[in-house]
Amino acid sequence: MRHGQICGSEKKRFIGTTDVGLDPIGVLQATYWKQAFTPLNLDAIYSSLLNRCDHTARLIAKGKKIIKTSALNEINMGSWDGKTFDRIKTDQPKEFKKRGECMDTFKAPDAESFYDVSLRVIPFFNHCINGMGEKILIVTHAGVIRVILCHILNLKLKELFQIKVSFGQLFVLKKN
């Protein structure tokens, strides 16, 4: 599940590891999911360390223990983190263009690539689905969800933005 809507989401920016909170709509989204998950007996709830995921998970968990891990953190955008797309396009047009061409391997200064994200996320995800209970909830970020879905669907990482992910969106995966 992606965390609820965040403060400042109306501007297109690189959020990454910038620790922003949920806005009132994000709180409502998490509260909705709390009601949906109440009848389920989840075996485990995992969350990114970042506030927007932790808050979403706490609203859903209803006192149940949440296991927080940096493996689920959003991509670190380095010096681009928190800056608007327009600013980066203006200040660093060549790098912005290169990012669009090499989405899987591009790194902004002091950042990680989506390939780097996959190296921490996929092993954690595989560990979760292989023996950590039948019903688990992972509250994380759009980039992390896209990386996981590329892995499951055998898509190339450079195609990850073909996958649309909304605030508060739930993806249900079932083991065969």
Side-chain angles (χ1 to χ4, degrees):
M1 165 182 283
R2 185 180 184 194
H3 57 79
Q5 186 170 296
I6 58 171
C7 297
S9 65
E10 63 281 349
K11 278 199 174 187
K12 194 111 169 119
R13 65 178 64 240
F14 295 99
I15 301 296
T17 56
T18 299
D19 207 6
V20 295
L22 298 179
D23 70 9
I25 292 171
V27 171
L28 286 174
Q29 289 168 327
T31 303
Y32 167 82
W33 284 116
K34 175 185 175 181
Q35 293 172 354
F37 280 108
T38 296
L40 299 177
N41 187 16
L42 293 173
D43 296 314
I45 300 172
Y46 298 94
S47 171
S48 155
L49 298 178
L50 299 173
N51 182 52
R52 55 197 183 263
C53 289
D54 178 52
H55 191 185
T56 300
R58 281 185 289 117
L59 287 169
I60 292 169
K62 203 171 109 179
K64 194 169 208 159
K65 182 182 177 191
I66 299 164
I67 303 158
K68 296 190 269 185
T69 175
S70 61
L72 294 173
N73 284 357
E74 184 59 290
I75 186 171
N76 179 345
M77 292 303 301
S79 65
W80 289 16
D81 216 291
K83 295 182 176 140
T84 65
F85 280 41
D86 289 340
R87 179 169 175 199
I88 298 298
K89 271 190 221 180
T90 301
D91 293 351
Q92 300 175 49
K94 288 180 186 174
E95 290 83 358
F96 188 84
K97 183 178 184 228
K98 185 175 179 186
R99 178 183 183 265
E101 295 167 351
C102 305
M103 192 60 69
D104 53 343
T105 57
F106 177 81
K107 293 182 186 189
D110 301 318
E112 63 183 342
S113 68
F114 280 107
Y115 176 74
D116 296 332
V117 173
S118 75
L119 294 178
R120 66 177 158 82
V121 169
I122 299 307
F124 178 81
F125 177 75
N126 288 334
H127 176 73
C128 286
I129 62 172
N130 293 323
M132 297 306 287
E134 290 296 315
K135 293 183 277 184
I136 64 171
L137 174 63
I138 296 174
V139 182
T140 190
H141 308 271
V144 172
I145 291 168
R146 287 181 175 117
V147 166
I148 291 169
L149 291 176
C150 281
H151 172 72
I152 291 169
L153 299 171
N154 291 317
L155 293 173
K156 294 178 180 171
L157 271 179
K158 61 177 25 180
E159 301 174 88
L160 82 160
F161 279 97
Q162 291 181 16
I163 301 168
K164 302 299 178 211
V165 183
S166 300
F167 290 114
Q169 185 174 0
L170 177 69
F171 293 83
V172 178
L173 306 174
K174 186 175 180 180
K175 288 195 281 189
N176 289 340

